[in-house]
């Protein structure tokens, strides 16, 4: 409050009060206060999240798949649970949990429209669930005499499955006989021999993966005995079987617009045989030099593969021509068991024996600057996988410990 003072000459002077620093406006303090960025010379704000946080489960995760039409991820754990999660770049929420089974689910696959989920179980059964309600729509209680390892829906009528004994079966899952389950008031379709349209035992070890082209002509199965076997879907007979490799074949994926087939091998040499589609008797190329066994692989583009290794690393490389890029992510030296690629190709999910589902944003793989020779992540080291860390990797190299400090031309600070 101002004061009016009368001077000796009769004039009046108005004296403004001196502002008290203890009672000054807080907004003025914020404006005058120095920001941490100005003091230390670097940005203290947290970076914006580009991938969902890790999903923690009560037990190990065996398999996972992304929904083909929505931002959803289905996860199968070793205790017989199947959970569906909604995800975004900031969070992931549990959307649906399917009825728990006493057995273990090892094979997962969505239908083309994402309305149905096909699953194979260790007790030899096959199940088909609705993704809208989670209800059990179809079941094959004794589909295989051994545990089912892989499943693959082919058309609106047909699905394929492979078991631990090397048997591949083809099913017409629309053939049905209505049976009322005691635990449900709704009828569930129970399949017997009428739904089985093909059964071939050509291998002596487990069927690790199944794949089919868009023309629905060939069904190809990889096995733990180290062979690739193709089946004709028209004649429903064996077409070709290649010579036996020295290690199990674990996974397959298409490259070059489904003209080539890349196969992962569980070998210390880490070989990747390449087959020409339709000619499965012998590979046309083979790429060596991978540091560990390959457990899973997905194709980000027609030539770019992302592979999960037994040493806990997830690596990216180009095929035809071959070029190694670097480490996409890691699971702390635990074997990475499964990989899944989202519908837009920008999100990668992986699981291991650490009870975690980890997400990796691999959108940078599609940028043009990734194909240049002078990339930032290639300049970090000339040799060694540990130094070739791609931007999605959550572990930094030791040489990057002081990478967030300002350069000499950006200012400097001193320790007391």
């Amino acid at each position: 409050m101002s004061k009016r003072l009368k001077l000796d000459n009769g004039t009046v002077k108005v004296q403004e009060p001196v502002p008290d620093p203890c009672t000054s406006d807080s907004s003025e303090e914020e404006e005058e206060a120095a920001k941490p960025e100005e003091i230390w010379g670097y940005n203290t704000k947290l970076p914006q999240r580009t991938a969902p946080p890790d999903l923690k489960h009560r037990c190990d995760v065996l398999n996972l798949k992304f929904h083909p039409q929505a931002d959803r991820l289905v996860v199968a754990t070793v205790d017989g649970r199947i959970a569906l999660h909604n995800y975004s770049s900031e969070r992931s929420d549990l959307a649906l949990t399917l009825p728990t089974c006493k057995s273990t689910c090892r094979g997962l696959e969505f239908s083309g429209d994402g309305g149905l989920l096909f699953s194979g179980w260790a007790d030899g059964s096959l199940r088909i669930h609705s993704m809208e309600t989670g209800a059990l729509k179809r079941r094959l209680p004794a589909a295989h005499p051994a545990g089912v390892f892989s499943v693959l829906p082919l058309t609106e009528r047909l699905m394929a499955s492979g078991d631990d004994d090397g048997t591949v079966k083809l099913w017409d899952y629309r053939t049905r006989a209505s049976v009322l389950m005691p635990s449900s008031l709704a009828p569930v379709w129970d399949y017997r021999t009428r739904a089985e349209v093909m059964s071939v035992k050509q291998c002596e070890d487990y069927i690790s993966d199944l794949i089919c082209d868009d023309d629905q002509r060939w069904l190809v199965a990889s096995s733990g005995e180290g062979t690739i076997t193709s089946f004709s879907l028209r004649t429903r007979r064996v077409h070709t079987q290649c010579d036996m490799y020295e290690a199990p074949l674990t996974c397959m994926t298409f490259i070059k617009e489904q003209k080539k087939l890349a196969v992962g091998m569980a070998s210390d040499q880490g070989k990747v045989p390449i087959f020409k589609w339709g000619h499965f008797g012998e590979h046309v190329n083979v790429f060596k030099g991978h540091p560990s066994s390959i457990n899973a692989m997905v194709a980000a583009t027609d030539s770019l593969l992302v592979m999960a290794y037994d040493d806990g690393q997830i690596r990216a490389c180009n095929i035809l021509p071959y070029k190694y890029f670097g480490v996409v992510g890691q699971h702390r030296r635990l074997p990475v068991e499964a990989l899944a690629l989202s519908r837009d190709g920008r999100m990668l999910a992986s699981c291991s024996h650490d009870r975690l589902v980890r997400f990796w944003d691999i959108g940078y793989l599609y940028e043009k600057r990734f194909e240049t020779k002078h990339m930032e992540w290639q300049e970090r080291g000339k040799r060694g996988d540990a130094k070739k860390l791609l931007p999605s990797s959550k572990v930094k190299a030791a040489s990057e410990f002081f990478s967030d400090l300002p350069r000499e031309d950006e200012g400097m600070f001193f320790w007391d």
Side-chain angles (χ1 to χ4, degrees):
M1 183 175 181
S2 60
K3 296 181 180 180
R4 300 173 63 88
L5 302 178
K6 188 175 181 180
L7 302 179
D8 296 338
N9 56 5
T11 59
V12 179
K13 181 180 180 182
V14 178
Q15 182 179 4
E16 297 294 338
V18 180
D20 188 0
C22 298
T23 60
S24 60
D25 191 3
S26 59
S27 60
E28 296 180 358
E29 289 185 357
E30 295 178 357
E31 295 178 358
E32 296 177 358
K35 298 180 180 180
E37 293 85 348
E38 299 176 357
I39 297 177
W40 301 107
Y42 64 92
N43 190 5
T44 59
K45 295 182 180 180
L46 294 176
Q48 186 178 2
R49 178 179 291 275
T50 59
D54 298 341
L55 293 176
K56 180 69 175 180
H57 292 268
R58 296 184 299 178
C59 53
D60 289 345
V61 179
L62 293 181
N63 209 339
L64 46 83
K65 291 291 180 180
F66 278 101
H67 195 280
Q69 302 294 336
D71 292 337
R72 287 185 167 188
L73 177 72
V74 64
V75 177
T77 54
V78 73
D79 60 350
R81 296 177 181 270
I82 298 179
L84 186 67
H85 299 267
N86 294 327
Y87 70 90
S88 64
S89 59
E90 299 295 333
R91 56 184 297 177
S92 56
D93 301 317
L94 179 63
L96 185 66
T97 301
L98 302 185
T100 306
C101 183
K102 296 181 180 180
S103 183
T104 301
C105 177
R106 296 184 295 178
L108 281 176
E109 196 66 46
F110 280 102
S111 59
D113 58 357
L116 298 175
L117 178 66
F118 298 79
S119 58
W121 300 76
D123 59 359
S125 64
L126 295 171
R127 289 176 172 82
I128 305 175
H129 290 86
S130 171
M131 285 292 93
E132 295 181 0
T133 61
L136 180 63
K137 292 294 185 181
R138 307 285 189 270
R139 84 178 184 99
L140 290 79
H144 287 263
V148 179
F149 199 91
S150 56
V151 294
L152 179 66
L154 302 175
T155 64
E156 295 181 355
R157 297 181 58 93
L158 297 178
M159 66 174 293
S161 58
D163 62 14
D164 291 338
D165 290 342
T167 301
V168 176
K169 291 189 177 186
L170 197 64
W171 305 90
D172 184 357
Y173 59 88
R174 284 193 174 183
T175 304
R176 52 196 179 186
S178 180
V179 174
L180 188 63
M181 299 295 295
S183 60
S184 176
L185 298 178
V188 178
W189 305 115
D190 188 8
Y191 294 82
R192 301 298 177 181
T193 57
R194 291 191 303 167
E196 182 181 306
V197 296
M198 186 189 76
S199 179
V200 179
K201 180 177 172 55
Q202 193 71 15
C203 306
E204 298 299 329
D205 209 336
Y206 67 100
I207 303 299
S208 59
D209 200 2
L210 295 169
I211 196 170
C212 182
D213 60 341
D214 294 337
D215 296 334
Q216 302 292 324
R217 184 177 182 182
W218 309 113
L219 173 66
V220 181
S222 60
S223 68
E225 69 177 9
T227 57
I228 290 290
T229 307
S230 61
F231 303 88
S232 173
L233 293 178
R234 298 176 182 177
T235 62
R236 294 173 184 174
R237 295 180 181 179
V238 177
H239 172 246
T240 308
Q241 187 176 44
C242 71
D243 295 334
M244 190 176 299
Y245 286 88
E246 68 274 8
L249 303 181
T250 56
C251 52
M252 299 180 293
T253 188
F254 284 115
I255 57 174
K256 301 299 180 182
E257 299 180 352
Q258 295 191 355
K259 296 179 181 179
K260 300 292 179 65
L261 179 68
V263 183
M265 184 180 297
S267 171
D268 294 338
Q269 300 178 358
K271 295 181 180 179
V272 181
I274 307 296
F275 291 84
K276 184 179 180 181
W277 186 253
H279 304 272
F280 308 103
E282 187 177 0
H283 61 260
V284 294
N285 297 94
V286 58
F287 297 98
K288 305 178 182 180
H290 294 267
S292 182
S293 300
I294 302 171
N295 296 333
M297 64 168 58
V298 293
T301 65
D302 286 338
S303 59
L304 182 60
L305 296 181
V306 181
M307 294 176 283
Y309 291 80
D310 207 41
D311 60 356
Q313 304 291 327
I314 304 172
R315 299 179 173 92
C317 68
N318 191 83
I319 299 293
L320 298 175
Y322 181 79
K323 182 180 181 181
Y324 172 74
F325 287 135
V327 177
V328 172
Q330 53 281 117
H331 274 268
R332 299 180 180 179
R333 299 183 180 179
L334 295 175
V336 183
E337 297 295 340
L339 285 179
L341 192 64
S342 63
R343 59 191 177 99
D344 58 357
R346 301 186 65 88
M347 196 66 62
L348 185 74
S350 62
C351 63
S352 182
H353 300 295
D354 52 5
R355 302 182 181 181
L356 290 176
V357 173
R358 313 197 78 178
F359 295 90
W360 318 93
D361 182 10
I362 59 172
Y364 58 87
L365 294 178
Y366 307 100
E367 299 177 3
K368 291 183 179 180
R369 65 186 181 90
F370 185 76
E371 301 295 338
T372 60
K373 296 183 179 180
H374 302 286
M375 296 182 295
E376 178 185 354
W377 45 86
Q378 283 188 348
E379 293 176 354
R380 294 174 181 173
K382 297 181 179 180
R383 295 182 181 179
D385 295 338
K387 295 183 179 180
K388 294 184 179 180
L389 299 176
L390 300 184
S392 59
S393 178
K394 298 180 181 179
V395 175
K396 290 186 176 182
S399 59
E400 297 183 6
F401 182 78
F402 298 102
S403 61
D404 57 344
L405 299 182
R407 302 181 210 171
E408 294 181 359
D409 56 349
E410 294 179 350
M412 56 190 303
F413 63 93
F414 301 91
W415 298 100
D416 293 336

